[in-house]
Amino acid sequence: MSLAFRFFSFFVSGSRFFPFSPDILIVKVLRLVTFSLLVLFGSGLLANPFQKIHSEINESLPGGESGMFRLFGSQSQDSEVHKLFSAGVNVSSDEEEVELASLDLPKYIDVSPVVSNTVVHESGIIVKKYTVQKKDNLSKIARSFSIELAKLKKHNGLASDQLKIGQVLEVPVQVKNASSSRVVLKKIFIMPVPQSRVTSRFGRRVDPFNKYNRVYHTGLDLAAKVGAPVLSAADGEVVFTGRNGGYGNSVTIQHKNGYKTVYAHCSQILVEVGETVKMGRVVALVGRTGTATGAHLHFEVFRNGKIMNPESALSITEKQVTRLPKSEVAGM
């Protein structure tokens, strides 16, 4: 720029319209340019230096979010926490009571744990009865049933090949469906809140009450509206009901094979200690009692006193095999 001004001043240095020397002219023009730049961009420099950052963050957030959700960190870490607020967080206690009072829930809700249900056929030997006809002989009968003559005679205790018309023989025959069994594969636990959504899984996570802490989450959070039914995940016996610190209103059920399940943050409890419950029994209603960021069920599973991942428990299946009555006409 200095060279450009010097080149320009070469033509105007002797002019009467420019009373300044070339060097003074260059200095004055530079000052004018600097002042203009300050006027154009000065307002941006004097503004809050964090305003642009806040604006960019706000623009990146999904529409409709309240300020409380922006207190948490990155979107990847807060997606699960945000979901906790999305169900029931703006419902007043009066609205909860009205909603709960209007519920007419059944005692049980049928949720099938069956994964597959098939009939399996097994090969083996069945005994067919054959009535001797005119012109029959042992060799002909053995060939028609694809059985050795010696086996046919031995099975019927025949000392000779002589047969009588109307005589009934027992013929052991190898068939593919000698017996049948029904094989049912089913889960040992059902989802305690049907049609809910998982908002926080088992394991380490950002503390929803302090974004700077990482805590170990001991259960599975299932978000649902306040008053949604909470089902017993399996058959068992209720061993605890009541307030349990940060868990709020809670229910604990003991199951077979050393399993135990816990249902926390409930708004209401519908069972009593000592009660025997079946899978699908409505034991409580979803709430946000205790230390909870929103309406959801905190679900825990123990095996022989040790905490386990509820999602692993929910995926465990057992096989039940029932032998079906043998058909009298099997293989005919």
Side-chain angles (χ1 to χ4, degrees), residues 269-284:
I269 296 174
L270 305 178
V271 291
E272 298 179 355
V273 173
E275 184 175 343
T276 299
V277 296
K278 294 290 185 180
M279 177 185 288
R281 171 70 158 94
V282 181
V283 298

Side-chain angles (χ1 to χ4, degrees), residues 116-130:
S116 63
N117 185 346
T118 58
V119 174
V120 178
H121 300 288
E122 300 169 346
S123 62
I125 294 176
I126 64 170
V127 177
K128 296 181 179 181
K129 295 184 182 297
Y130 180 79

Side-chain angles (χ1 to χ4, degrees), residues 16-292:
R16 56 189 176 92
F17 297 102
F18 294 92
F20 306 109
S21 66
D23 291 337
I24 295 176
L25 178 62
I26 292 172
V27 171
K28 289 185 176 291
V29 171
L30 288 176
R31 287 178 179 176
L32 178 61
V33 171
T34 303
F35 178 76
S36 300
L37 291 175
L38 287 174
V39 171
L40 290 174
F41 301 104
S43 59
L45 294 174
L46 295 175
N48 185 348
F50 299 103
Q51 185 62 43
K52 184 179 180 181
I53 297 175
H54 290 320
S55 299
E56 292 176 352
I57 293 175
N58 292 336
E59 289 174 1
S60 67
L61 291 172
E65 290 185 330
S66 64
M68 70 177 69
F69 304 127
R70 296 172 186 168
L71 294 176
F72 297 94
S74 65
Q75 186 175 357
S76 62
Q77 292 177 335
D78 301 333
S79 59
E80 300 299 327
V81 177
H82 174 264
K83 290 177 184 178
L84 290 176
F85 284 95
S86 64
V89 71
N90 295 321
V91 180
S92 68
S93 58
D94 293 338
E95 290 174 336
E96 283 184 11
E97 292 176 1
V98 172
E99 184 176 0
L100 294 175
S102 65
L103 291 174
D104 186 18
L105 294 173
K107 189 174 182 179
Y108 282 89
I109 295 178
D110 185 17
V111 179
S112 176
V114 175
V115 176
S116 63
N117 185 346
T118 58
V119 174
V120 178
H121 300 288
E122 300 169 346
S123 62
I125 294 176
I126 64 170
V127 177
K128 296 181 179 181
K129 295 184 182 297
Y130 180 79
T131 302
V132 177
Q133 307 293 322
K134 187 178 180 180
K135 296 184 180 181
D136 275 343
N137 57 60
L138 281 177
S139 297
K140 180 180 177 182
I141 295 172
R143 287 195 301 271
S144 65
F145 285 97
S146 301
I147 184 176
E148 296 178 5
L149 177 61
K151 287 184 178 181
L152 180 60
K153 291 179 66 177
K154 182 178 180 181
H155 185 83
N156 289 275
L158 300 175
S160 66
D161 294 346
Q162 298 298 318
L163 297 175
K164 296 179 180 180
I165 296 176
Q167 181 179 354
V168 178
L169 299 176
E170 291 186 349
V171 184
V173 181
Q174 180 78 28
V175 295
K176 293 182 179 180
N177 59 340
S179 62
S180 300
S181 299
R182 183 173 299 280
V183 180
V184 178
L185 189 66
K186 63 179 185 179
K187 295 182 178 181
I188 65 173
F189 293 112
I190 61 172
M191 186 71 79
V193 183
Q195 299 181 348
S196 61
R197 69 181 185 278
V198 176
T199 55
S200 187
R201 290 185 158 82
F202 180 86
R204 292 201 172 277
R205 67 172 184 176
V206 175
D207 187 346
F209 297 96
N210 186 345
K211 67 176 181 178
Y212 301 106
N213 289 340
R214 290 186 64 82
V215 294
Y216 199 88
H217 190 225
T218 56
L220 182 68
D221 286 349
L222 304 172
K225 292 182 178 179
V226 171
V230 176
L231 312 182
S232 174
D235 299 352
E237 179 183 351
V238 179
V239 295
F240 175 83
T241 62
R243 196 81 179 184
N244 184 17
Y247 281 49
N249 296 330
S250 303
V251 176
T252 302
I253 301 176
Q254 185 70 51
H255 309 280
K256 66 179 183 179
N257 298 325
Y259 286 105
K260 182 173 68 175
T261 53
V262 178
Y263 312 78
H265 304 312
C266 303
S267 58
Q268 288 187 10
I269 296 174
L270 305 178
V271 291
E272 298 179 355
V273 173
E275 184 175 343
T276 299
V277 296
K278 294 290 185 180
M279 177 185 288
R281 171 70 158 94
V282 181
V283 298
L285 303 179
V286 170
R288 57 171 183 267
T289 58
T291 307

